[in-house]
Amino acid sequence: MVYEASSKSEALTNVPRHVAIIMDGNGRWARNRNKPRRAGHRAGVKSVRASVEMAVQKGIKYLTLFAFSSENWSRPKEEVSSLMSLFIEALRREVDELHRNNVRLKFVGALGELNSGLRDRIRQSELRTAGNTGLCLTVAIAYGGRWDIVEASKRVAQKVADGQLRVGDIDDAEFSAGLQLSSIPDPDLLIRTGGEQRISNFLLWNLAYAELWFTDVLWPEFDENIFNEALSFYAGKQRRFGHTGDQIEAVEC
Ligand code: FPP
């Protein structure tokens, strides 16, 4: 199937270039139906597929999904292992279609902590889609924002220790070059489903100027109406990056 622009999205203006999503609420969705948590995660995969399709249709260039946090390792062993199996299965099933739709797939996080089966799948799907020029889909697995910042700090510290960099020359650009999302622009819009209004150690550095949008809707129920609500919220925002509204309007004219 090839993703096509839908009539609902054609009217959208000021579409964010980069949308990041904290997909929360799978467990509650399952509990509400007296199902095991893994059924919620399985339903969550369908929303992942739908959100990728919608992002392509709406002309979003970058979509970044928080699939598994550094802290999620402390969930019950059987939930962790069913999530890992689900990731492998989803990759096996979806990669052809993503490729057909010109989607480039990238994974970020402490990928060395994952089992070798999942690491191999990740490597294969990244290689397969590396030349694609459409949506850049980034999936964060075993990812934590603090971990990301610590790793970037080690990189600059090493450069200083090796005499390649002076402490006085460390700036935003030098530092952020060591972050996991260094090759793509910062998110413009963060969406979090599931009712909580927090960042939960997601892209701590990169979200500095993102617009934040929260919904009580649980991730398996995320659909085009909800996505459009988030995009309308974003379209109504004037992003000032520390400037005054008058300064921004002067630039826009
Ligand atoms: C949060 O819901 C969700 C997760 C920890 C896992 C997200 C994973 C998926 C949507 C599956 C597939 C992902 C990809 C990229 C193929 P929760 O379990 O914390 O829900 P709760 O807060 O209701 O308990």
PDB file of all heavy atoms in Angstrom, residues 23-28 37 41 44-45 48 67 72 75 79 83 87 90 139 219, ligand 1:
ATOM      1  N   MET A  23       4.453   7.543  23.464  1.00  0.00           N
ATOM      2  CA  MET A  23       3.275   6.685  23.237  1.00  0.00           C
ATOM      3  C   MET A  23       2.915   6.030  24.569  1.00  0.00           C
ATOM      4  O   MET A  23       3.467   5.003  24.923  1.00  0.00           O
ATOM      5  CB  MET A  23       3.628   5.605  22.207  1.00  0.00           C
ATOM      6  CG  MET A  23       4.264   6.147  20.937  1.00  0.00           C
ATOM      7  SD  MET A  23       4.739   4.835  19.779  1.00  0.00           S
ATOM      8  CE  MET A  23       6.181   4.130  20.543  1.00  0.00           C
ATOM      9  N   ASP A  24       1.997   6.611  25.306  1.00  0.00           N
ATOM     10  CA  ASP A  24       1.689   6.079  26.635  1.00  0.00           C
ATOM     11  C   ASP A  24       0.237   5.601  26.699  1.00  0.00           C
ATOM     12  O   ASP A  24      -0.633   6.158  26.016  1.00  0.00           O
ATOM     13  CB  ASP A  24       1.934   7.191  27.683  1.00  0.00           C
ATOM     14  CG  ASP A  24       2.021   6.629  29.090  1.00  0.00           C
ATOM     15  OD1 ASP A  24       2.160   5.393  29.244  1.00  0.00           O
ATOM     16  OD2 ASP A  24       1.959   7.414  30.051  1.00  0.00           O
ATOM     17  N   GLY A  25       0.014   4.587  27.515  1.00  0.00           N
ATOM     18  CA  GLY A  25      -1.359   4.151  27.774  1.00  0.00           C
ATOM     19  C   GLY A  25      -1.708   2.762  27.264  1.00  0.00           C
ATOM     20  O   GLY A  25      -2.862   2.334  27.376  1.00  0.00           O
ATOM     21  N   ASN A  26      -0.719   2.041  26.750  1.00  0.00           N
ATOM     22  CA  ASN A  26      -1.018   0.681  26.236  1.00  0.00           C
ATOM     23  C   ASN A  26      -1.537  -0.232  27.352  1.00  0.00           C
ATOM     24  O   ASN A  26      -2.480  -1.002  27.157  1.00  0.00           O
ATOM     25  CB  ASN A  26       0.246   0.023  25.668  1.00  0.00           C
ATOM     26  CG  ASN A  26       0.764   0.725  24.431  1.00  0.00           C
ATOM     27  OD1 ASN A  26       0.079   1.563  23.870  1.00  0.00           O
ATOM     28  ND2 ASN A  26       1.977   0.393  24.024  1.00  0.00           N
ATOM     29  N   GLY A  27      -0.878  -0.143  28.517  1.00  0.00           N
ATOM     30  CA  GLY A  27      -1.234  -1.018  29.642  1.00  0.00           C
ATOM     31  C   GLY A  27      -2.656  -0.749  30.105  1.00  0.00           C
ATOM     32  O   GLY A  27      -3.440  -1.689  30.340  1.00  0.00           O
ATOM     33  N   ARG A  28      -3.021   0.533  30.231  1.00  0.00           N
ATOM     34  CA  ARG A  28      -4.371   0.876  30.693  1.00  0.00           C
ATOM     35  C   ARG A  28      -5.426   0.477  29.658  1.00  0.00           C
ATOM     36  O   ARG A  28      -6.503   0.025  29.992  1.00  0.00           O
ATOM     37  CB  ARG A  28      -4.456   2.379  31.009  1.00  0.00           C
ATOM     38  CG  ARG A  28      -3.924   2.691  32.407  1.00  0.00           C
ATOM     39  CD  ARG A  28      -3.642   4.146  32.564  1.00  0.00           C
ATOM     40  NE  ARG A  28      -2.433   4.513  31.834  1.00  0.00           N
ATOM     41  CZ  ARG A  28      -2.116   5.757  31.511  1.00  0.00           C
ATOM     42  NH1 ARG A  28      -2.932   6.739  31.819  1.00  0.00           N
ATOM     43  NH2 ARG A  28      -0.983   6.011  30.895  1.00  0.00           N
ATOM     44  N   ARG A  37      -1.236  -7.030  29.442  1.00  0.00           N
ATOM     45  CA  ARG A  37      -0.568  -5.808  28.973  1.00  0.00           C
ATOM     46  C   ARG A  37      -0.007  -5.973  27.559  1.00  0.00           C
ATOM     47  O   ARG A  37       0.004  -5.039  26.771  1.00  0.00           O
ATOM     48  CB  ARG A  37       0.553  -5.415  29.948  1.00  0.00           C
ATOM     49  CG  ARG A  37       0.038  -4.961  31.309  1.00  0.00           C
ATOM     50  CD  ARG A  37       1.190  -4.618  32.232  1.00  0.00           C
ATOM     51  NE  ARG A  37       1.993  -3.519  31.707  1.00  0.00           N
ATOM     52  CZ  ARG A  37       1.682  -2.227  31.843  1.00  0.00           C
ATOM     53  NH1 ARG A  37       0.589  -1.864  32.487  1.00  0.00           N
ATOM     54  NH2 ARG A  37       2.463  -1.294  31.345  1.00  0.00           N
ATOM     55  N   HIS A  41       0.234  -3.513  24.076  1.00  0.00           N
ATOM     56  CA  HIS A  41       1.403  -3.162  23.247  1.00  0.00           C
ATOM     57  C   HIS A  41       1.156  -3.562  21.784  1.00  0.00           C
ATOM     58  O   HIS A  41       1.534  -2.857  20.863  1.00  0.00           O
ATOM     59  CB  HIS A  41       2.667  -3.833  23.788  1.00  0.00           C
ATOM     60  CG  HIS A  41       3.031  -3.354  25.163  1.00  0.00           C
ATOM     61  ND1 HIS A  41       3.055  -2.022  25.495  1.00  0.00           N
ATOM     62  CD2 HIS A  41       3.383  -4.018  26.299  1.00  0.00           C
ATOM     63  CE1 HIS A  41       3.403  -1.890  26.771  1.00  0.00           C
ATOM     64  NE2 HIS A  41       3.605  -3.082  27.276  1.00  0.00           N
ATOM     65  N   GLY A  44      -0.848  -1.153  20.327  1.00  0.00           N
ATOM     66  CA  GLY A  44      -0.011   0.044  20.140  1.00  0.00           C
ATOM     67  C   GLY A  44       0.749   0.012  18.820  1.00  0.00           C
ATOM     68  O   GLY A  44       0.994   1.056  18.212  1.00  0.00           O
ATOM     69  N   VAL A  45       1.134  -1.178  18.381  1.00  0.00           N
ATOM     70  CA  VAL A  45       1.848  -1.284  17.100  1.00  0.00           C
ATOM     71  C   VAL A  45       0.954  -0.791  15.953  1.00  0.00           C
ATOM     72  O   VAL A  45       1.414  -0.133  15.021  1.00  0.00           O
ATOM     73  CB  VAL A  45       2.312  -2.737  16.821  1.00  0.00           C
ATOM     74  CG1 VAL A  45       2.986  -2.837  15.468  1.00  0.00           C
ATOM     75  CG2 VAL A  45       3.258  -3.209  17.900  1.00  0.00           C
ATOM     76  N   VAL A  48       1.182   2.790  15.841  1.00  0.00           N
ATOM     77  CA  VAL A  48       2.473   3.199  15.269  1.00  0.00           C
ATOM     78  C   VAL A  48       2.344   3.228  13.750  1.00  0.00           C
ATOM     79  O   VAL A  48       2.691   4.209  13.088  1.00  0.00           O
ATOM     80  CB  VAL A  48       3.617   2.244  15.699  1.00  0.00           C
ATOM     81  CG1 VAL A  48       4.880   2.501  14.887  1.00  0.00           C
ATOM     82  CG2 VAL A  48       3.908   2.396  17.188  1.00  0.00           C
ATOM     83  N   ALA A  67       9.797   4.335  22.101  1.00  0.00           N
ATOM     84  CA  ALA A  67       9.241   2.979  22.173  1.00  0.00           C
ATOM     85  C   ALA A  67       9.624   2.254  23.458  1.00  0.00           C
ATOM     86  O   ALA A  67       8.884   1.383  23.928  1.00  0.00           O
ATOM     87  CB  ALA A  67       9.701   2.159  20.976  1.00  0.00           C
ATOM     88  N   ASN A  72      12.415   1.522  31.389  1.00  0.00           N
ATOM     89  CA  ASN A  72      11.502   0.397  31.123  1.00  0.00           C
ATOM     90  C   ASN A  72      12.154  -0.968  31.355  1.00  0.00           C
ATOM     91  O   ASN A  72      11.456  -1.976  31.481  1.00  0.00           O
ATOM     92  CB  ASN A  72      10.942   0.452  29.691  1.00  0.00           C
ATOM     93  CG  ASN A  72       9.911   1.540  29.480  1.00  0.00           C
ATOM     94  OD1 ASN A  72       9.739   2.069  28.381  1.00  0.00           O
ATOM     95  ND2 ASN A  72       9.184   1.907  30.540  1.00  0.00           N
ATOM     96  N   ARG A  75      10.709  -3.032  34.223  1.00  0.00           N
ATOM     97  CA  ARG A  75       9.369  -3.653  34.195  1.00  0.00           C
ATOM     98  C   ARG A  75       9.511  -5.169  34.398  1.00  0.00           C
ATOM     99  O   ARG A  75      10.606  -5.720  34.230  1.00  0.00           O
ATOM    100  CB  ARG A  75       8.697  -3.378  32.849  1.00  0.00           C
ATOM    101  CG  ARG A  75       8.333  -1.917  32.722  1.00  0.00           C
ATOM    102  CD  ARG A  75       7.379  -1.673  31.599  1.00  0.00           C
ATOM    103  NE  ARG A  75       6.956  -0.283  31.663  1.00  0.00           N
ATOM    104  CZ  ARG A  75       5.903   0.221  31.048  1.00  0.00           C
ATOM    105  NH1 ARG A  75       5.164  -0.544  30.296  1.00  0.00           N
ATOM    106  NH2 ARG A  75       5.602   1.486  31.174  1.00  0.00           N
ATOM    107  N   GLU A  79       7.166  -8.844  30.608  1.00  0.00           N
ATOM    108  CA  GLU A  79       6.699  -7.724  29.772  1.00  0.00           C
ATOM    109  C   GLU A  79       7.847  -7.221  28.882  1.00  0.00           C
ATOM    110  O   GLU A  79       7.652  -6.952  27.688  1.00  0.00           O
ATOM    111  CB  GLU A  79       6.158  -6.573  30.633  1.00  0.00           C
ATOM    112  CG  GLU A  79       5.696  -5.411  29.756  1.00  0.00           C
ATOM    113  CD  GLU A  79       4.895  -4.336  30.490  1.00  0.00           C
ATOM    114  OE1 GLU A  79       4.552  -4.529  31.664  1.00  0.00           O
ATOM    115  OE2 GLU A  79       4.629  -3.291  29.857  1.00  0.00           O
ATOM    116  N   LEU A  83       7.882  -7.256  24.842  1.00  0.00           N
ATOM    117  CA  LEU A  83       8.099  -6.033  24.042  1.00  0.00           C
ATOM    118  C   LEU A  83       9.214  -6.233  23.015  1.00  0.00           C
ATOM    119  O   LEU A  83       9.089  -5.834  21.855  1.00  0.00           O
ATOM    120  CB  LEU A  83       8.446  -4.858  24.967  1.00  0.00           C
ATOM    121  CG  LEU A  83       7.259  -4.063  25.517  1.00  0.00           C
ATOM    122  CD1 LEU A  83       7.698  -3.115  26.627  1.00  0.00           C
ATOM    123  CD2 LEU A  83       6.558  -3.272  24.406  1.00  0.00           C
ATOM    124  N   PHE A  87       8.943  -5.913  18.984  1.00  0.00           N
ATOM    125  CA  PHE A  87       9.750  -5.027  18.124  1.00  0.00           C
ATOM    126  C   PHE A  87      10.303  -5.817  16.936  1.00  0.00           C
ATOM    127  O   PHE A  87      10.266  -5.361  15.797  1.00  0.00           O
ATOM    128  CB  PHE A  87      10.925  -4.402  18.905  1.00  0.00           C
ATOM    129  CG  PHE A  87      10.503  -3.452  20.009  1.00  0.00           C
ATOM    130  CD1 PHE A  87      11.203  -3.378  21.198  1.00  0.00           C
ATOM    131  CD2 PHE A  87       9.411  -2.608  19.849  1.00  0.00           C
ATOM    132  CE1 PHE A  87      10.818  -2.506  22.212  1.00  0.00           C
ATOM    133  CE2 PHE A  87       9.013  -1.733  20.857  1.00  0.00           C
ATOM    134  CZ  PHE A  87       9.725  -1.680  22.043  1.00  0.00           C
ATOM    135  N   ALA A  90       7.451  -6.629  14.575  1.00  0.00           N
ATOM    136  CA  ALA A  90       6.960  -5.438  13.860  1.00  0.00           C
ATOM    137  C   ALA A  90       7.943  -5.065  12.748  1.00  0.00           C
ATOM    138  O   ALA A  90       7.537  -4.733  11.633  1.00  0.00           O
ATOM    139  CB  ALA A  90       6.776  -4.277  14.826  1.00  0.00           C
ATOM    140  N   VAL A 139      13.150   5.650  15.889  1.00  0.00           N
ATOM    141  CA  VAL A 139      12.555   4.932  17.016  1.00  0.00           C
ATOM    142  C   VAL A 139      13.581   4.909  18.148  1.00  0.00           C
ATOM    143  O   VAL A 139      14.720   4.463  17.956  1.00  0.00           O
ATOM    144  CB  VAL A 139      12.170   3.490  16.600  1.00  0.00           C
ATOM    145  CG1 VAL A 139      11.542   2.754  17.775  1.00  0.00           C
ATOM    146  CG2 VAL A 139      11.213   3.518  15.408  1.00  0.00           C
ATOM    147  N   TRP A 219      -2.653   5.431  23.884  1.00  0.00           N
ATOM    148  CA  TRP A 219      -1.954   5.270  22.601  1.00  0.00           C
ATOM    149  C   TRP A 219      -2.682   4.356  21.602  1.00  0.00           C
ATOM    150  O   TRP A 219      -2.801   4.698  20.417  1.00  0.00           O
ATOM    151  CB  TRP A 219      -0.498   4.830  22.820  1.00  0.00           C
ATOM    152  CG  TRP A 219       0.217   4.610  21.517  1.00  0.00           C
ATOM    153  CD1 TRP A 219       0.666   3.436  21.018  1.00  0.00           C
ATOM    154  CD2 TRP A 219       0.488   5.610  20.522  1.00  0.00           C
ATOM    155  NE1 TRP A 219       1.225   3.630  19.781  1.00  0.00           N
ATOM    156  CE2 TRP A 219       1.130   4.953  19.447  1.00  0.00           C
ATOM    157  CE3 TRP A 219       0.268   6.994  20.416  1.00  0.00           C
ATOM    158  CZ2 TRP A 219       1.549   5.619  18.297  1.00  0.00           C
ATOM    159  CZ3 TRP A 219       0.685   7.670  19.268  1.00  0.00           C
ATOM    160  CH2 TRP A 219       1.322   6.980  18.228  1.00  0.00           C
TER     161      TRP A 219
HETATM  162  C1  FPP B   1       3.742   2.858  27.144  1.00  0.00           C
HETATM  163  O1  FPP B   1       2.525   2.345  27.585  1.00  0.00           O
HETATM  164  C2  FPP B   1       4.245   2.118  26.014  1.00  0.00           C
HETATM  165  C3  FPP B   1       5.415   1.421  25.967  1.00  0.00           C
HETATM  166  C4  FPP B   1       6.376   1.324  27.077  1.00  0.00           C
HETATM  167  C5  FPP B   1       5.800   0.672  24.773  1.00  0.00           C
HETATM  168  C6  FPP B   1       5.525   1.341  23.450  1.00  0.00           C
HETATM  169  C7  FPP B   1       5.587   0.284  22.449  1.00  0.00           C
HETATM  170  C8  FPP B   1       4.764   0.142  21.421  1.00  0.00           C
HETATM  171  C9  FPP B   1       3.685   1.077  21.051  1.00  0.00           C
HETATM  172  C10 FPP B   1       4.922  -1.062  20.622  1.00  0.00           C
HETATM  173  C11 FPP B   1       5.570  -0.995  19.322  1.00  0.00           C
HETATM  174  C12 FPP B   1       6.512   0.049  18.964  1.00  0.00           C
HETATM  175  C13 FPP B   1       7.182   0.047  17.784  1.00  0.00           C
HETATM  176  C14 FPP B   1       8.050   1.178  17.445  1.00  0.00           C
HETATM  177  C15 FPP B   1       7.064  -1.068  16.818  1.00  0.00           C
HETATM  178  P1  FPP B   1       2.452   1.767  29.071  1.00  0.00           P
HETATM  179  O2  FPP B   1       2.735   0.321  29.007  1.00  0.00           O
HETATM  180  O3  FPP B   1       3.356   2.552  29.959  1.00  0.00           O
HETATM  181  O4  FPP B   1       0.959   2.049  29.410  1.00  0.00           O
HETATM  182  P2  FPP B   1       0.331   2.351  30.847  1.00  0.00           P
HETATM  183  O5  FPP B   1       0.915   3.679  31.285  1.00  0.00           O
HETATM  184  O6  FPP B   1      -1.124   2.451  30.562  1.00  0.00           O
HETATM  185  O7  FPP B   1       0.681   1.213  31.739  1.00  0.00           O
END
